[in-house]
Amino acid sequence: MDVDGVLSDASGRQHLLAGEPKSWAAFFEASVQDPPISEGIRLVAGLVDDRAMVLVTARPARLADTTVAWLERNSVSWDLLVMRRDGDHRSSPEVKSEALEGLRADGYEVQLALDDDPGNARMYQAAGVSTVYLHSGYYDL
Ligand SMILES: [Mg+2]
């Protein structure tokens, strides 16, 4: 399960990526103030049941504390949080592809992926994972 655009409403900070160079640091730092997407959070709660809920985000790991606090504040059900390594500037699909490989190597049978980035959705599909694409409006199709 993705975080930004699915559980967390990042629309208020998209403008930080509009210019060149993009303000990635400011974009990620502002995530602490994101409002929750209640439908996404309810969707996660409905999927958990007896499965492990793994949140896979391209947010950098330096934001782990504020991200976990945000998840707790907004009553998100989750078991494992996988984040981008600090200093890793690869694309989100590259980061998440590696995360998927890592999960599988650790013995997880990944049953379903949900993401609002079409590039990530294509990556999960290509890797043989049933995928739900959710349109947040942050990305061009
Ligand atoms: Mg997203």
Side-chain angles (χ1 to χ4, degrees), residues 115-119 121-122 133-141:
D115 205 292
D116 74 318
D117 180 336
R122 283 191 292 271
Y133 164 72
L134 188 146
H135 187 65
S136 65
Y138 305 160
Y139 301 93
D140 294 328
L141 285 176

Side-chain angles (χ1 to χ4, degrees), residues 35-107:
I37 300 174
S38 59
E39 294 81 3
I41 291 171
R42 287 167 54 198
L43 183 62
V44 168
L47 287 170
V48 169
D49 198 16
D50 58 348
R51 304 174 188 88
M53 175 56 67
V54 183
L55 304 180
V56 180
T57 178
R59 288 186 190 184
R62 66 175 182 276
L63 296 177
D65 288 350
T66 55
T67 298
V68 168
W70 188 96
L71 293 168
E72 291 182 357
R73 197 163 62 243
N74 291 288
S75 304
V76 177
S77 309
W78 61 282
D79 298 293
L80 181 66
L81 175 64
V82 181
M83 305 185 78
R84 175 195 295 271
R85 269 191 291 276
D86 290 334
D88 181 348
H89 299 297
R90 292 176 300 165
S91 72
S92 184
E94 289 174 294
V95 170
K96 293 192 176 185
S97 174
E98 187 176 88
L100 175 61
E101 286 173 26
L103 288 168
R104 285 174 163 167
D106 287 345

Side-chain angles (χ1 to χ4, degrees), residues 111-132:
Q111 300 292 326
L112 181 73
L114 196 152
D115 205 292
D116 74 318
D117 180 336
N120 289 333
R122 283 191 292 271
M123 179 282 294
Y124 283 124
Q125 285 179 311
V129 179
S130 294
T131 304
V132 175

